[in-house]
Amino acid sequence: MNGETLQLEIKDNIACITLNCPETLNALSMRSLIDFHASLKQVIASHEVRALLITGTGRGFSSGVDLTAPRPGLNPDDPDELLRDYFAPTYQLLKDLRIPTVAAVNGVCAGAGVSLALSCDIVLAARSAYFVQAFVNLGLVPDTGASWLVTQAVGSARATGLMLLGEKLAAETAADWGLIWKCVDDDKLMQEASAIVNKLAVGPTTTYSLIKRLMRDAKNNSLRDQILLENECQSLARKTEDNAEARKAFAEKRKPVYNGR
């Protein structure tokens, strides 16, 4: 799929969505949200895809919401419509994907762009990249889930500082704080991101979906409830074909070949 604002490629069990509005540093417009949502639906409908990579063209991953792009069909008397009816369902769809997702942040990552990246399971960033909660610089409050996503990642004290000050956070510091998985040299970003998605694409896909469920619910569960959920998920994992293959491969002293089921 080559949309107006992005490119979707599906190959070898991997889907890659590349934001493609370099002239705006991949700012997110109504059109790009429509294209992105359609791409995610296509990924879900595909029985082939077992991992998803998201990145951007040019000098930025995403500079956040495009405040100047046309919004045809939106109600001018309903300023919340874009966030409520376009951003929220699209980001939730990404967050709820059963397959593992990876973001490769190649430059500026601001506002709603940060929320997009953090909605993925694993985030890598180029050393020259940076993250910024730019909302306050425009007299606005965080949206697109930023106040929740950033706080969950780095804790209240650091999240509050980022939100109130609106300052750039270097990729290396973002990795040190636990906002992202790893910071890598610029020329190694796509190589490392590709290595990760290639590994995930041949892994135990159902097990990944269960791990994602555990990590999501751990944020709110008590220890007792989380242990019960672990037991439930472990029971489901034991019944997968991939678990049977892993046990057989272990006994035969070879590398398992997973089919994702």
Side-chain angles (χ1 to χ4, degrees):
M1 171 183 173
N2 289 316
E4 185 178 316
T5 64
L6 58 77
Q7 296 174 338
L8 169 63
E9 180 183 12
I10 296 177
K11 183 179 179 182
D12 298 330
N13 302 120
I14 296 169
C16 181
I17 296 176
T18 304
L19 303 177
N20 192 29
C21 294
E23 67 280 0
T24 63
L25 296 175
N26 298 314
L28 298 163
S29 63
M30 177 181 169
R31 180 71 257 170
S32 63
L33 265 292
I34 292 171
D35 289 346
F36 197 90
H37 196 276
S39 295
L40 291 178
K41 285 289 190 179
Q42 191 171 336
V43 168
I44 292 169
S46 171
H47 299 295
E48 174 189 351
V49 177
R50 292 167 63 182
L52 170 64
L53 173 64
I54 299 173
T55 192
T57 57
R59 297 181 296 110
F61 178 78
S62 174
S63 57
V65 177
D66 191 333
L67 300 176
T68 63
R71 303 178 181 184
L74 291 189
N75 182 355
D77 297 323
D78 185 3
D80 298 325
E81 187 177 1
L82 182 64
L83 291 175
R84 183 188 65 240
D85 296 342
Y86 291 86
F87 274 94
T90 300
Y91 281 25
Q92 192 66 57
L93 190 62
L94 172 61
K95 191 72 174 171
D96 291 342
L97 285 182
R98 294 182 70 254
I99 59 173
T101 55
V102 178
V105 177
N106 52 304
V108 57
C109 188
V114 177
S115 298
L116 176 60
L118 296 187
S119 292
C120 294
D121 301 312
I122 296 175
V123 183
L124 291 86
R127 202 165 301 279
S128 64
Y130 64 88
F131 301 80
V132 57
Q133 292 297 298
F135 305 98
V136 71
N137 299 331
L138 299 170
L140 297 171
V141 302
D143 56 29
T144 62
S147 59
W148 189 90
L149 290 162
V150 177
T151 302
Q152 292 290 337
V154 301
S156 179
R158 283 173 167 163
T160 301
L162 290 172
M163 303 291 178
L164 291 178
L165 298 174
E167 297 177 349
K168 295 178 182 179
L169 183 71
E172 195 164 354
T173 306
D176 290 342
W177 284 11
L179 184 71
I180 64 173
W181 166 244
K182 188 185 289 187
C183 170
V184 301
D185 291 339
D186 288 27
D187 59 353
K188 297 291 196 303
L189 176 64
M190 294 311 298
Q191 178 183 331
E192 295 225 17
S194 295
I196 289 175
V197 291
N198 275 284
K199 178 178 181 178
L200 294 171
V202 296
T205 310
T206 300
T207 298
Y208 291 149
S209 71
L210 294 171
I211 291 172
K212 289 178 62 158
R213 179 183 173 190
L214 286 172
M215 300 310 297
R216 180 178 64 246
D217 290 2
K219 296 178 175 69
N220 300 311
N221 277 347
S222 66
L223 174 60
R224 181 179 183 277
D225 288 342
Q226 188 68 10
I227 289 173
L228 291 174
L229 180 61
E230 288 175 345
N231 293 342
E232 177 188 339
C233 290
Q234 195 71 289
S235 178
L236 293 171
R238 288 194 193 99
K239 297 172 184 175
T240 63
E241 294 178 17
D242 284 339
N243 176 249
E245 163 63 10
R247 287 186 280 109
K248 183 179 179 183
F250 180 80
E252 296 173 355
K253 298 182 179 179
R254 61 173 174 82
K255 189 175 180 178
V257 179
Y258 297 119
N259 62 21
R261 296 188 292 273

